[in-house]
Amino acid sequence: MSENIFAGLQKLTLLDFPGKVACTLFTKGCNFRCPFCHNASLVVRPDEQQMYNNDEILAFLRKRQGILDGVAITGGEPTLMSGLYDFIKKVKDMGYAIKLDTNGTRPDVLKKIVNDNLVDYVAMDIKNSPQKYAFTCGLPENYDLSKIEESKNFLMEGRVDFEFRTTVAKPFHEAEDFVKIGEWLKGSEKYFLQQFKDSGDIIGKEISSYNENEMVKFLNLLLPFVPNAQLRGV
């Protein structure tokens, strides 16, 4: 089991997995091209990254048993990796809690991992209102949202602890978008608006953040639909 699926390892995080002392694994490649993506090198230059094969990561995790509680898997888009299911099963068998980040484009993978009790927490990105999804993800205007809709609806069935989250950036998000997102996610328990921060490794240009007051206004537009919505990183 030596397939190279990881292009980054953060050995300790107290932020990426709520309530857990964890490490974060980064997968390479993505089927989106969000201009504000803060891991652009994983998306557009994946082969330039330091690679870790599965056996190396598993050896690291064996040494950290009793020190770390959880493993957060992010990207890129983890569900594109063919060996993801088998890898997660091995990590779960070590006793680790698993958090999976996803853009929701592979509901078949998401459902299998959740239904087989291999993941403890899922964070799904909601890029924008449905009407502006393709624009926000750098995709053709006629992009089919049915897979994302399927993943969203599956998570809202409550089979696993989860959150939705949106990274808010100019010029992609406007006030009216948050009313439409609120209507789309109505009934969700956890939804976070995250302030865009330029990592220095983004795909697009001329992208900037909204200030705290503007973020609060966007949040207030959501609260009638998603009463537990919160700001993160503001």
PDB file of all heavy atoms in Angstrom, residues 160-180:
ATOM      1  N   VAL A 160     -23.841  11.868  10.136  1.00  0.00           N
ATOM      2  CA  VAL A 160     -22.500  12.128  10.674  1.00  0.00           C
ATOM      3  C   VAL A 160     -22.460  13.589  11.094  1.00  0.00           C
ATOM      4  O   VAL A 160     -23.183  14.426  10.550  1.00  0.00           O
ATOM      5  CB  VAL A 160     -21.420  11.826   9.600  1.00  0.00           C
ATOM      6  CG1 VAL A 160     -21.500  12.800   8.431  1.00  0.00           C
ATOM      7  CG2 VAL A 160     -20.016  11.823  10.205  1.00  0.00           C
ATOM      8  N   ASP A 161     -21.621  13.901  12.073  1.00  0.00           N
ATOM      9  CA  ASP A 161     -21.427  15.283  12.480  1.00  0.00           C
ATOM     10  C   ASP A 161     -20.769  16.035  11.317  1.00  0.00           C
ATOM     11  O   ASP A 161     -19.813  15.550  10.720  1.00  0.00           O
ATOM     12  CB  ASP A 161     -20.536  15.326  13.721  1.00  0.00           C
ATOM     13  CG  ASP A 161     -20.615  16.651  14.456  1.00  0.00           C
ATOM     14  OD1 ASP A 161     -21.482  17.484  14.114  1.00  0.00           O
ATOM     15  OD2 ASP A 161     -19.812  16.848  15.394  1.00  0.00           O
ATOM     16  N   PHE A 162     -21.278  17.219  11.007  1.00  0.00           N
ATOM     17  CA  PHE A 162     -20.778  17.923   9.828  1.00  0.00           C
ATOM     18  C   PHE A 162     -20.948  19.424   9.981  1.00  0.00           C
ATOM     19  O   PHE A 162     -21.659  19.906  10.859  1.00  0.00           O
ATOM     20  CB  PHE A 162     -21.513  17.452   8.565  1.00  0.00           C
ATOM     21  CG  PHE A 162     -22.921  18.001   8.439  1.00  0.00           C
ATOM     22  CD1 PHE A 162     -23.170  19.136   7.683  1.00  0.00           C
ATOM     23  CD2 PHE A 162     -23.987  17.400   9.099  1.00  0.00           C
ATOM     24  CE1 PHE A 162     -24.446  19.655   7.574  1.00  0.00           C
ATOM     25  CE2 PHE A 162     -25.274  17.911   8.994  1.00  0.00           C
ATOM     26  CZ  PHE A 162     -25.506  19.043   8.227  1.00  0.00           C
ATOM     27  N   GLU A 163     -20.276  20.131   9.082  1.00  0.00           N
ATOM     28  CA  GLU A 163     -20.474  21.566   8.952  1.00  0.00           C
ATOM     29  C   GLU A 163     -20.441  21.938   7.479  1.00  0.00           C
ATOM     30  O   GLU A 163     -19.808  21.263   6.664  1.00  0.00           O
ATOM     31  CB  GLU A 163     -19.391  22.352   9.691  1.00  0.00           C
ATOM     32  CG  GLU A 163     -18.009  22.228   9.068  1.00  0.00           C
ATOM     33  CD  GLU A 163     -16.954  23.036   9.779  1.00  0.00           C
ATOM     34  OE1 GLU A 163     -16.797  22.877  11.015  1.00  0.00           O
ATOM     35  OE2 GLU A 163     -16.249  23.823   9.098  1.00  0.00           O
ATOM     36  N   PHE A 164     -21.131  23.005   7.145  1.00  0.00           N
ATOM     37  CA  PHE A 164     -20.951  23.685   5.872  1.00  0.00           C
ATOM     38  C   PHE A 164     -20.128  24.937   6.138  1.00  0.00           C
ATOM     39  O   PHE A 164     -20.185  25.512   7.229  1.00  0.00           O
ATOM     40  CB  PHE A 164     -22.296  24.070   5.251  1.00  0.00           C
ATOM     41  CG  PHE A 164     -23.158  22.907   4.859  1.00  0.00           C
ATOM     42  CD1 PHE A 164     -24.498  22.862   5.231  1.00  0.00           C
ATOM     43  CD2 PHE A 164     -22.660  21.863   4.109  1.00  0.00           C
ATOM     44  CE1 PHE A 164     -25.308  21.803   4.869  1.00  0.00           C
ATOM     45  CE2 PHE A 164     -23.455  20.787   3.740  1.00  0.00           C
ATOM     46  CZ  PHE A 164     -24.786  20.765   4.118  1.00  0.00           C
ATOM     47  N   ARG A 165     -19.379  25.372   5.124  1.00  0.00           N
ATOM     48  CA  ARG A 165     -18.561  26.566   5.305  1.00  0.00           C
ATOM     49  C   ARG A 165     -18.358  27.251   3.964  1.00  0.00           C
ATOM     50  O   ARG A 165     -18.289  26.595   2.921  1.00  0.00           O
ATOM     51  CB  ARG A 165     -17.212  26.198   5.928  1.00  0.00           C
ATOM     52  CG  ARG A 165     -16.386  25.255   5.063  1.00  0.00           C
ATOM     53  CD  ARG A 165     -15.196  24.694   5.792  1.00  0.00           C
ATOM     54  NE  ARG A 165     -14.365  23.928   4.866  1.00  0.00           N
ATOM     55  CZ  ARG A 165     -13.292  23.245   5.222  1.00  0.00           C
ATOM     56  NH1 ARG A 165     -12.912  23.233   6.497  1.00  0.00           N
ATOM     57  NH2 ARG A 165     -12.568  22.580   4.337  1.00  0.00           N
ATOM     58  N   THR A 166     -18.260  28.571   4.025  1.00  0.00           N
ATOM     59  CA  THR A 166     -18.044  29.376   2.825  1.00  0.00           C
ATOM     60  C   THR A 166     -16.915  30.356   3.073  1.00  0.00           C
ATOM     61  O   THR A 166     -16.953  31.112   4.056  1.00  0.00           O
ATOM     62  CB  THR A 166     -19.319  30.156   2.445  1.00  0.00           C
ATOM     63  OG1 THR A 166     -20.364  29.244   2.142  1.00  0.00           O
ATOM     64  CG2 THR A 166     -19.067  31.062   1.235  1.00  0.00           C
ATOM     65  N   THR A 167     -15.911  30.338   2.214  1.00  0.00           N
ATOM     66  CA  THR A 167     -14.871  31.356   2.245  1.00  0.00           C
ATOM     67  C   THR A 167     -15.365  32.558   1.456  1.00  0.00           C
ATOM     68  O   THR A 167     -15.708  32.429   0.276  1.00  0.00           O
ATOM     69  CB  THR A 167     -13.561  30.823   1.650  1.00  0.00           C
ATOM     70  OG1 THR A 167     -13.104  29.712   2.429  1.00  0.00           O
ATOM     71  CG2 THR A 167     -12.491  31.903   1.639  1.00  0.00           C
ATOM     72  N   VAL A 168     -15.429  33.702   2.114  1.00  0.00           N
ATOM     73  CA  VAL A 168     -16.055  34.895   1.538  1.00  0.00           C
ATOM     74  C   VAL A 168     -14.966  35.816   0.986  1.00  0.00           C
ATOM     75  O   VAL A 168     -14.065  36.228   1.718  1.00  0.00           O
ATOM     76  CB  VAL A 168     -16.888  35.635   2.600  1.00  0.00           C
ATOM     77  CG1 VAL A 168     -17.608  36.827   1.972  1.00  0.00           C
ATOM     78  CG2 VAL A 168     -17.891  34.685   3.251  1.00  0.00           C
ATOM     79  N   ALA A 169     -15.064  36.131  -0.298  1.00  0.00           N
ATOM     80  CA  ALA A 169     -14.020  36.923  -0.943  1.00  0.00           C
ATOM     81  C   ALA A 169     -14.621  37.848  -1.998  1.00  0.00           C
ATOM     82  O   ALA A 169     -15.592  37.496  -2.678  1.00  0.00           O
ATOM     83  CB  ALA A 169     -12.988  36.004  -1.598  1.00  0.00           C
ATOM     84  N   LYS A 170     -14.025  39.027  -2.121  1.00  0.00           N
ATOM     85  CA  LYS A 170     -14.349  39.917  -3.242  1.00  0.00           C
ATOM     86  C   LYS A 170     -13.540  39.457  -4.458  1.00  0.00           C
ATOM     87  O   LYS A 170     -12.383  39.072  -4.313  1.00  0.00           O
ATOM     88  CB  LYS A 170     -13.937  41.358  -2.922  1.00  0.00           C
ATOM     89  CG  LYS A 170     -14.621  41.992  -1.729  1.00  0.00           C
ATOM     90  CD  LYS A 170     -14.044  43.394  -1.511  1.00  0.00           C
ATOM     91  CE  LYS A 170     -14.638  44.037  -0.266  1.00  0.00           C
ATOM     92  NZ  LYS A 170     -14.058  45.376  -0.006  1.00  0.00           N
ATOM     93  N   PRO A 171     -14.124  39.484  -5.644  1.00  0.00           N
ATOM     94  CA  PRO A 171     -15.428  40.025  -6.020  1.00  0.00           C
ATOM     95  C   PRO A 171     -16.517  38.962  -6.178  1.00  0.00           C
ATOM     96  O   PRO A 171     -17.482  39.172  -6.905  1.00  0.00           O
ATOM     97  CB  PRO A 171     -15.105  40.648  -7.375  1.00  0.00           C
ATOM     98  CG  PRO A 171     -14.125  39.654  -7.980  1.00  0.00           C
ATOM     99  CD  PRO A 171     -13.311  39.133  -6.823  1.00  0.00           C
ATOM    100  N   PHE A 172     -16.377  37.821  -5.524  1.00  0.00           N
ATOM    101  CA  PHE A 172     -17.257  36.684  -5.801  1.00  0.00           C
ATOM    102  C   PHE A 172     -18.551  36.681  -5.001  1.00  0.00           C
ATOM    103  O   PHE A 172     -19.537  36.091  -5.422  1.00  0.00           O
ATOM    104  CB  PHE A 172     -16.487  35.374  -5.564  1.00  0.00           C
ATOM    105  CG  PHE A 172     -15.271  35.267  -6.415  1.00  0.00           C
ATOM    106  CD1 PHE A 172     -14.022  35.614  -5.911  1.00  0.00           C
ATOM    107  CD2 PHE A 172     -15.362  34.877  -7.731  1.00  0.00           C
ATOM    108  CE1 PHE A 172     -12.895  35.555  -6.703  1.00  0.00           C
ATOM    109  CE2 PHE A 172     -14.246  34.809  -8.533  1.00  0.00           C
ATOM    110  CZ  PHE A 172     -13.004  35.156  -8.022  1.00  0.00           C
ATOM    111  N   HIS A 173     -18.542  37.292  -3.835  1.00  0.00           N
ATOM    112  CA  HIS A 173     -19.702  37.236  -2.947  1.00  0.00           C
ATOM    113  C   HIS A 173     -20.271  38.628  -2.705  1.00  0.00           C
ATOM    114  O   HIS A 173     -19.521  39.577  -2.466  1.00  0.00           O
ATOM    115  CB  HIS A 173     -19.303  36.599  -1.609  1.00  0.00           C
ATOM    116  CG  HIS A 173     -18.774  35.212  -1.748  1.00  0.00           C
ATOM    117  ND1 HIS A 173     -17.426  34.942  -1.878  1.00  0.00           N
ATOM    118  CD2 HIS A 173     -19.405  34.008  -1.793  1.00  0.00           C
ATOM    119  CE1 HIS A 173     -17.253  33.626  -2.000  1.00  0.00           C
ATOM    120  NE2 HIS A 173     -18.432  33.044  -1.946  1.00  0.00           N
ATOM    121  N   GLU A 174     -21.604  38.690  -2.769  1.00  0.00           N
ATOM    122  CA  GLU A 174     -22.329  39.930  -2.496  1.00  0.00           C
ATOM    123  C   GLU A 174     -23.460  39.623  -1.531  1.00  0.00           C
ATOM    124  O   GLU A 174     -23.817  38.459  -1.322  1.00  0.00           O
ATOM    125  CB  GLU A 174     -22.877  40.520  -3.797  1.00  0.00           C
ATOM    126  CG  GLU A 174     -21.797  40.859  -4.812  1.00  0.00           C
ATOM    127  CD  GLU A 174     -22.371  41.250  -6.162  1.00  0.00           C
ATOM    128  OE1 GLU A 174     -23.008  40.392  -6.799  1.00  0.00           O
ATOM    129  OE2 GLU A 174     -22.187  42.400  -6.562  1.00  0.00           O
ATOM    130  N   ALA A 175     -24.049  40.660  -0.971  1.00  0.00           N
ATOM    131  CA  ALA A 175     -25.060  40.473   0.065  1.00  0.00           C
ATOM    132  C   ALA A 175     -26.188  39.547  -0.375  1.00  0.00           C
ATOM    133  O   ALA A 175     -26.594  38.635   0.355  1.00  0.00           O
ATOM    134  CB  ALA A 175     -25.618  41.837   0.484  1.00  0.00           C
ATOM    135  N   GLU A 176     -26.682  39.720  -1.586  1.00  0.00           N
ATOM    136  CA  GLU A 176     -27.823  38.924  -2.037  1.00  0.00           C
ATOM    137  C   GLU A 176     -27.495  37.432  -2.107  1.00  0.00           C
ATOM    138  O   GLU A 176     -28.381  36.583  -1.986  1.00  0.00           O
ATOM    139  CB  GLU A 176     -28.303  39.419  -3.403  1.00  0.00           C
ATOM    140  CG  GLU A 176     -27.273  39.263  -4.502  1.00  0.00           C
ATOM    141  CD  GLU A 176     -27.726  39.848  -5.827  1.00  0.00           C
ATOM    142  OE1 GLU A 176     -28.663  40.680  -5.830  1.00  0.00           O
ATOM    143  OE2 GLU A 176     -27.165  39.460  -6.862  1.00  0.00           O
ATOM    144  N   ASP A 177     -26.221  37.110  -2.277  1.00  0.00           N
ATOM    145  CA  ASP A 177     -25.826  35.695  -2.342  1.00  0.00           C
ATOM    146  C   ASP A 177     -26.121  34.979  -1.031  1.00  0.00           C
ATOM    147  O   ASP A 177     -26.462  33.790  -1.038  1.00  0.00           O
ATOM    148  CB  ASP A 177     -24.338  35.569  -2.662  1.00  0.00           C
ATOM    149  CG  ASP A 177     -23.986  36.133  -4.020  1.00  0.00           C
ATOM    150  OD1 ASP A 177     -24.751  35.890  -4.975  1.00  0.00           O
ATOM    151  OD2 ASP A 177     -22.954  36.813  -4.130  1.00  0.00           O
ATOM    152  N   PHE A 178     -26.008  35.684   0.088  1.00  0.00           N
ATOM    153  CA  PHE A 178     -26.165  35.024   1.380  1.00  0.00           C
ATOM    154  C   PHE A 178     -27.626  34.754   1.715  1.00  0.00           C
ATOM    155  O   PHE A 178     -27.933  33.819   2.440  1.00  0.00           O
ATOM    156  CB  PHE A 178     -25.447  35.835   2.458  1.00  0.00           C
ATOM    157  CG  PHE A 178     -23.967  35.876   2.214  1.00  0.00           C
ATOM    158  CD1 PHE A 178     -23.388  36.962   1.572  1.00  0.00           C
ATOM    159  CD2 PHE A 178     -23.175  34.789   2.531  1.00  0.00           C
ATOM    160  CE1 PHE A 178     -22.030  36.978   1.291  1.00  0.00           C
ATOM    161  CE2 PHE A 178     -21.819  34.791   2.252  1.00  0.00           C
ATOM    162  CZ  PHE A 178     -21.247  35.884   1.630  1.00  0.00           C
ATOM    163  N   VAL A 179     -28.512  35.533   1.157  1.00  0.00           N
ATOM    164  CA  VAL A 179     -29.937  35.216   1.271  1.00  0.00           C
ATOM    165  C   VAL A 179     -30.231  33.933   0.501  1.00  0.00           C
ATOM    166  O   VAL A 179     -30.910  33.017   0.997  1.00  0.00           O
ATOM    167  CB  VAL A 179     -30.803  36.373   0.742  1.00  0.00           C
ATOM    168  CG1 VAL A 179     -32.281  35.990   0.752  1.00  0.00           C
ATOM    169  CG2 VAL A 179     -30.563  37.633   1.572  1.00  0.00           C
ATOM    170  N   LYS A 180     -29.677  33.824  -0.699  1.00  0.00           N
ATOM    171  CA  LYS A 180     -29.902  32.630  -1.520  1.00  0.00           C
ATOM    172  C   LYS A 180     -29.246  31.397  -0.901  1.00  0.00           C
ATOM    173  O   LYS A 180     -29.816  30.302  -0.926  1.00  0.00           O
ATOM    174  CB  LYS A 180     -29.376  32.875  -2.937  1.00  0.00           C
ATOM    175  CG  LYS A 180     -30.161  33.948  -3.685  1.00  0.00           C
ATOM    176  CD  LYS A 180     -29.517  34.285  -5.020  1.00  0.00           C
ATOM    177  CE  LYS A 180     -30.295  35.373  -5.735  1.00  0.00           C
ATOM    178  NZ  LYS A 180     -29.622  35.793  -6.988  1.00  0.00           N
TER     179      LYS A 180
END
